Amino acid sequence: MLKKYRMRIILTCIVIILPMLIGIMTWDSLPESMATNFDWSGEANGWSSRYFAVFGLPCMILAFHFLCVFSTLLDPRKKGIDSKMLLLVFWICPVASWICAAVIYANALGIALDTLAAVEIFCGVLFIAIGNYLPKCRQNYTVGVKLPWTLNDTENWNKTNRLAGWLFVLVGFLWIMAVFTGGILLPTAATILAAVIPAGYSLALYLGKRGSEE
């Protein structure tokens, strides 16, 4: 399985670390301390050294990328993961790496960029993509609503992940709408509910089925 995706792994890793080249080329123009953390209003509230911003952050994203990709490819039930969802797993970190680089370098170089809007759009597109393909994934240990009741009952898995998919798409649209409304309270609350509601629904299905069997 790893050999099958070797070229994709190499390509995505290269994409993740490519922003380092931007840092190297603009090194003399970058400040010694660079903003690497931003609050919900898009204002910088955390700073790191130039070395960490240019080299450390991409390496951290690369490490997380390895964790996501290899845990997915080594899943004993990996055949249950939809091929498009697998493609999404491969490209989440590379895209995130470039968005982080754009936000950090733009801020450091004095280029006007709506940091909050960039994050909201990324979150929105990501939730919509995940929500679209989540119902298509069969039982596995990596992607989906993974609970004891879903992993042991195909019907429970399918119903729970179908609901989660619809909720994720809704949350995605709310994050994109936040770019125009200027409020993040609603999409933030919706994100929390989208994580909690499917778990509660899954448990209710399990208890209902167990009760009918007794």
Side-chain angles (χ1 to χ4, degrees), residues 7-28:
M7 293 307 299
R8 188 183 296 182
I9 293 172
I10 294 173
L11 174 62
T12 52
C13 288
I14 291 174
V15 173
I16 289 173
I17 63 175
L18 269 179
M20 290 183 183
L21 294 178
I22 299 175
I24 294 172
M25 290 186 295
T26 60
W27 185 265
D28 293 335

Side-chain angles (χ1 to χ4, degrees), residues 139 144-164 167 193-211:
Q139 287 170 310
V145 183
K146 304 177 295 297
L147 296 167
W149 319 290
T150 56
L151 291 173
N152 290 324
D153 187 337
T154 302
E155 182 181 10
N156 192 310
W157 171 277
N158 291 336
K159 289 184 176 180
T160 299
N161 281 277
R162 189 178 301 117
L163 173 63
L167 291 174
L193 290 175
V196 174
I197 291 176
Y201 176 67
S202 176
L203 178 59
L205 289 176
Y206 166 72
L207 294 176
K209 186 174 183 178
R210 190 178 70 171

Side-chain angles (χ1 to χ4, degrees), residues 102-134:
V103 170
I104 292 172
Y105 290 139
N107 182 272
L109 297 172
I111 300 173
L113 179 66
D114 192 335
T115 303
L116 183 58
V119 173
E120 288 171 338
I121 292 174
F122 174 68
C123 288
V125 173
L126 181 60
F127 271 106
I128 291 173
I130 293 175
N132 186 48
Y133 297 119
L134 198 58

Side-chain angles (χ1 to χ4, degrees), residues 7-119:
M7 293 307 299
R8 188 183 296 182
I9 293 172
I10 294 173
L11 174 62
T12 52
C13 288
I14 291 174
V15 173
I16 289 173
I17 63 175
L18 269 179
M20 290 183 183
L21 294 178
I22 299 175
I24 294 172
M25 290 186 295
T26 60
W27 185 265
D28 293 335
S29 301
L30 297 174
E32 290 292 336
S33 181
M34 299 171 59
T36 52
N37 194 60
F38 301 84
D39 60 24
W40 285 112
S41 63
E43 296 296 324
N45 63 356
W47 287 262
S48 301
S49 69
R50 178 168 50 179
Y51 285 96
F52 177 80
V54 175
F55 301 108
L57 193 57
C59 287
M60 289 179 60
I61 297 175
L62 181 63
F64 185 71
H65 179 62
F66 279 130
L67 176 63
C68 293
V69 168
F70 286 107
S71 61
T72 302
L73 294 180
L74 296 176
D75 189 326
R77 294 186 176 183
K78 55 184 172 291
K79 291 184 178 180
I81 303 175
D82 181 77
S83 59
K84 293 181 180 178
M85 178 64 82
L86 181 59
L87 185 65
L88 188 62
V89 170
F90 268 97
W91 285 101
I92 288 177
C93 286
V95 173
S97 179
W98 276 91
I99 291 177
C100 288
V103 170
I104 292 172
Y105 290 139
N107 182 272
L109 297 172
I111 300 173
L113 179 66
D114 192 335
T115 303
L116 183 58
V119 173

